Every structure is written in structure tokens, then in C-alpha cells.
Amino acid sequence: DVYHNNLLNQDPAFKNNFEQIQNQVREIIKNQTSLGSQIPITIPVVFQVVYNTPAQNIPTSRILAQLEVLNNDFQRLNADTINTPSVFAQCSSGSQIQFCLAQQDYNGQPTTGIVATPTTVTSFSYLQVCFVTQGGVKRWPPESYLNIYICNLANGIHGVTQYPGGNDSTDAVVLHYECVGGPNSPGTL
């Protein structure tokens, strides 16, 4: 939220884009007649592991566990859904959104959806990892992929992303490598 609020206060174009998107979402919700009529959406994900030490180059098992957590969260399949406050229980449901590892890269070549790249940068601040000139890795086109960067984030930051409507060059999710994982293959933080 700190990053988002700074953008709202410092970038009039971002503020305008964000407000337009919020209005579009409100219209979609208002005009939605039945949640059951939603068409399932599958979003290809590329995990960009940008590492400086071997410990930062996390195993595939933790990445797959994180993908499972993401899908369970969006589909409301977690065991803790029984703890949903009653005021929200009547309107809560799983989405028709599913995430999968990308099977083709942006050039049409086969991929596992996990790309590990060494860097000389010891830690990144916020969305710096999205820029090759700052030691990061090229982002795949966000209109076709969800880019999730895994790296050593500085200053105790566990994860960061921007709200919709922000700078296209930083349209990504960035996670601290120690936070990635799930119940069967947890991170270390």
C-alpha cells in the first residue's frame, strides 16, 4: 500500500488509470447477473527466479507449492474458509480464475514456466528486478502472462506488486525468495 499510495500522490496518469479501472470493475460487478455464468479463465504464469546465491535459486517444489496456494486462494479451496466472518460468508465464493505454468514463451518456444537467471545484484528494492539495466530480468508481455519474480528483496520486504493502471514496465508480482512455498514445501520466512 505504501508503494501504491506514493504512486497515487506522485503520478496523475497512474491515479487516472487506477480510477478508470476501478469504475470498470464496479460496472462489471453491477451488471453481473450470475456468478455461475462466468467463463473459466486460465492465466499462464512465468516465475522469474533472479538469484545471487545458490540459496536464492529455490527448488521447483517450492514454486509449484506457491502456484498451488495461488490457485487454492482464488478458488476458495483453503481449509480456513470456515473462519470467514458471517457478514462475508454469504457473498464469498471461489473465482473462475486458474493459474498454470506457461507452456510457451513469448517467442512461441516451449518453456517450463520457470526461468532461473543469475545476477550480480545482492538485493532488489520494490520492482527494480523488472529492469535488466538494474540487474533484473526482462518481463514477459503482461497481456499474455502473469510475471512473478522471485528474488532477494531488500529492507525486510516480503512481496510487492502494483495495482492495475500502473507503469506497464513494472506490471509484475515480486516475492522474497524465502517467502515462496506452500504447506507441503514451505519457504523459510
Side-chain angles (χ1 to χ4, degrees):
D1 284 345
V2 171
Y3 181 76
H4 172 68
N5 288 330
N6 285 340
L7 283 175
L8 284 175
N9 293 328
Q10 297 172 7
D11 187 343
F14 171 75
K15 183 175 182 178
N16 184 48
N17 287 343
F18 181 72
E19 289 172 356
Q20 286 180 1
I21 290 168
Q22 292 300 304
N23 289 334
Q24 289 172 342
V25 169
R26 282 187 202 95
E27 278 300 309
I28 290 169
I29 291 170
K30 186 173 96 176
N31 294 325
Q32 183 70 35
T33 57
S34 168
L35 291 176
S37 68
Q38 292 179 349
I39 298 171
I41 298 170
T42 300
I43 299 174
V45 179
V46 58
F47 285 93
Q48 300 269 15
V49 182
V50 184
Y51 65 96
N52 179 263
T53 67
Q56 295 170 9
N57 189 12
I58 65 172
T60 299
S61 60
R62 285 185 36 205
I63 294 170
L64 294 176
Q66 187 66 60
L67 185 64
E68 182 178 6
V69 166
L70 184 62
N71 277 312
N72 286 343
D73 287 346
F74 270 78
Q75 295 171 20
R76 202 168 186 271
L77 297 175
N78 294 317
D80 66 355
T81 58
I82 61 170
N83 299 327
T84 304
S86 60
V87 68
F88 299 114
Q90 63 186 355
C91 63
S92 61
S93 69
S95 71
Q96 293 293 322
I97 299 172
Q98 180 177 356
F99 301 89
C100 68
L101 291 173
Q103 295 182 13
Q104 286 188 335
D105 69 12
Y106 52 90
N107 291 319
Q109 298 301 309
T111 182
T112 63
I114 300 170
V115 181
T117 307
T119 184
T120 59
V121 175
T122 57
S123 65
F124 294 94
S125 63
Y126 290 103
L127 298 164
Q128 172 191 5
V129 71
C130 298
F131 298 98
V132 174
T133 58
Q134 295 180 35
V137 177
K138 179 181 178 181
R139 179 184 48 88
W140 292 17
E143 62 276 2
S144 301
Y145 303 93
L146 171 59
N147 289 269
I148 300 179
Y149 287 88
I150 300 168
C151 64
N152 186 26
L153 279 169
N155 303 319
I157 299 170
H158 293 156
V160 65
T161 190
Q162 69 182 22
Y163 284 80
N167 184 335
D168 186 53
S169 64
T170 53
D171 189 354
V173 174
V174 182
L175 301 173
H176 191 287
Y177 75 96
E178 292 179 309
C179 296
V180 175
N184 297 324
S185 188
T188 55
L189 275 183

